[in-house]
Amino acid sequence: MATTVSLIGSKWKLLIMRNLLGRPWRFNELQKSIEGISQKALTEALRSMETDGIVRRTAYPEVPPRVEYSLTELGESMRPIIKAMETWGMEYKEQMQEEQYDC
């Protein structure tokens, strides 16, 4: 468990993973879609995830240059973990709402 947490345990990495599970994203798209993340924090998280083998950075030789981030096969293998966390979170929120209405 400690290894998994070290790889995706930060708030930003989980949100990046959530987005990349859907499709490849460009840097600016990611930054705009993750409220509160700074350019520096996004850069550091992406570099770390790339070093860990979770994220792939693809640079296209175009003018202007285009870079996309996507999940590697290793990153894709984390899909069930992220999905389980999402499911648990939604069930938790529902339970908390039901308990509020019961009071």
Side-chain angles (χ1 to χ4, degrees):
M1 186 166 67
T3 301
T4 305
V5 170
S6 73
L7 292 173
I8 62 165
S10 80
K11 171 173 92 172
W12 301 128
K13 287 181 180 181
L14 281 171
L15 295 175
I16 292 167
M17 289 280 299
R18 174 201 65 193
N19 285 9
L20 294 179
L21 284 170
R23 63 174 174 87
W25 288 67
R26 294 177 72 172
F27 185 91
N28 287 337
E29 287 181 307
L30 281 170
Q31 188 174 11
K32 289 175 185 174
S33 72
I34 301 172
E35 187 176 330
I37 193 168
S38 68
Q39 182 175 347
K40 180 182 180 204
L42 180 57
T43 298
E44 288 175 358
L46 287 168
R47 282 186 183 155
S48 172
M49 294 168 79
E50 187 178 4
T51 299
D52 293 335
I54 296 169
V55 168
R56 176 183 307 109
R57 179 184 186 274
T58 305
Y60 296 93
E62 301 173 349
V63 177
R66 177 172 56 110
V67 175
E68 286 185 344
Y69 294 90
S70 59
L71 293 178
T72 62
E73 189 174 325
L74 179 63
E76 282 287 342
S77 73
M78 298 178 98
R79 183 179 293 274
I81 296 166
I82 304 299
K83 184 65 179 167
M85 292 173 71
E86 177 187 32
T87 301
W88 187 90
M90 289 171 34
E91 289 171 0
Y92 172 81
K93 286 170 69 174
E94 284 178 22
Q95 183 177 352
M96 290 294 107
Q97 285 179 338
E98 288 173 9
E99 288 179 13
Q100 281 182 338
Y101 291 121
D102 289 345
C103 294

